[in-house]
Each structure stands twice: as C-alpha cells, then as structure tokens.
Amino acid sequence: MNTFMQMAIDEARHGIKHNHGGPFGAIVVKDGKVLSKTHNEVLKNNDPTAHAEVLAIRQASEILERFDLSDCEIYTSSEPCPMCLAAIYWARIKTVYYGSNKIDVASIGFDDSLFYRYIRGETQDQGLKLVNTDRDECLKLLREWSEKSDKQMY
Ligand SMILES: [Zn+2]
C-alpha cells in the first residue's frame, strides 16, 4: 500500500465521518514530502468546486507561493473528474496517482460521464446552454491583456 494513497484514503474517511462531502481525498507531494492533505468539502462549504484535488492544489500553491506545481505529484483516492483534471493541467502537475476509477465512482452516484462525453463532443447536453454573446467587446479584453507589457504568463 502506497503511503501517500493511504493518506488520501484517511483524508477521505475523515470527510465522510464529519459529513464534509463525498468519499474523496487528495495529497500533493513534492520531493517525496506532503505539501497538502485535503478531502472533499462540497457539503461543508456549500461549494460545488470544493473537490479534494482542487483544494489540495490551492493549498499546495499557497504554501509554495506559486501557481506552477510542475515539480509536484498528486495522489487522489479516485480518478479526477473533468474539473479536477483541468485544475491539474492548469497547475502543470505531471503525474496523477488515483485509486478507484470513474466507473467505480459512478456506481455510487457520482457520475461525471456526461461531462466527459460533452468534452469529447459526443453529446449536446440539453441541460447546459452555452451561448456566445458580445464577443467583440470581450475580445477587447484579450487585446488589452496581449498588449500589457508587464503581464506574467502562466
Ligand atoms: Zn473533481
């Protein structure tokens, strides 16, 4: 049993016990040392984005005082949902260790297969309207950013 995965599982159990959220825990590791330990807090915080991986990334970034976690790894008790996967990409993390997979998770009611299908362009989700409006005005923002001489890219 991997020590970091065991920690992620312990975190998830803590969350279950205290009704903080679903059975999910995550650990961010750098150079073999734990930077952050989190569990799902969707219920505790009334925050639909408070998934363990997102919280672990936020905490690790705060500790390192940088948004680039390319020298870190993440351990998560379950395969990341599309939101967490995107957060992992944005954080530039190169390796994700996960325990149960998305099919296992769907079997207990956390089904994100619709999101995966939507991203792959395999479905038009009738529950989500994606409406493109006022593009020209918003393009001005992109130009402002592009022309900003002291911007920090990430
Ligand atoms: Zn997630």
Side-chain angles (χ1 to χ4, degrees):
M1 178 79 211
N2 180 285
T3 308
F4 299 128
M5 186 56 80
Q6 184 61 62
M7 291 171 117
I9 292 167
D10 292 345
E11 269 296 314
R13 282 222 171 84
H14 180 82
I16 295 170
K17 187 178 171 192
H18 294 91
N19 298 316
H20 287 175
F24 311 109
I27 310 286
V28 170
V29 174
K30 180 181 178 302
D31 301 327
K33 292 194 178 107
V34 173
L35 274 183
S36 56
K37 283 195 295 186
T38 55
H39 56 266
N40 184 293
E41 296 189 6
V42 169
L43 301 177
K44 180 187 172 199
N45 300 339
N46 284 319
D47 178 355
T49 69
H51 289 195
E53 299 96 317
V54 168
L55 298 180
I57 287 168
R58 285 181 189 159
Q59 218 176 79
S61 294
E62 200 176 314
I63 289 164
L64 293 176
E65 297 182 333
R66 56 180 156 92
F67 47 78
D68 185 332
L69 302 182
S70 54
D71 54 354
C72 299
E73 296 179 325
I74 191 164
Y75 289 76
T76 175
S77 59
S78 291
E79 188 172 358
C81 75
M83 174 182 72
C84 292
L85 197 65
I88 289 163
Y89 265 107
W90 278 116
R92 312 282 191 263
I93 293 173
K94 302 285 191 302
T95 308
V96 180
Y97 298 93
Y98 66 93
S100 56
N101 65 38
K102 56 186 173 230
I103 297 164
D104 303 325
V105 171
S107 74
I108 61 156
F110 296 99
D111 188 1
D112 51 17
S113 58
L114 173 66
F115 310 153
Y116 277 105
R117 285 201 310 278
Y118 187 84
I119 290 166
R120 287 195 299 260
E122 293 171 4
T123 182
Q124 290 283 350
D125 178 9
Q126 299 304 312
L128 173 68
K129 286 184 184 145
L130 205 56
V131 183
N132 192 194
T133 183
D134 297 311
R135 180 169 178 247
D136 288 342
E137 279 305 303
C138 295
L139 280 173
K140 287 179 188 169
L141 290 172
L142 305 189
R143 276 195 295 278
E144 282 168 36
W145 169 262
S146 282
E147 291 162 9
K148 182 176 165 64
S149 58
D150 61 342
K151 66 178 172 281
Q152 183 185 4
M153 283 309 296
Y154 58 92

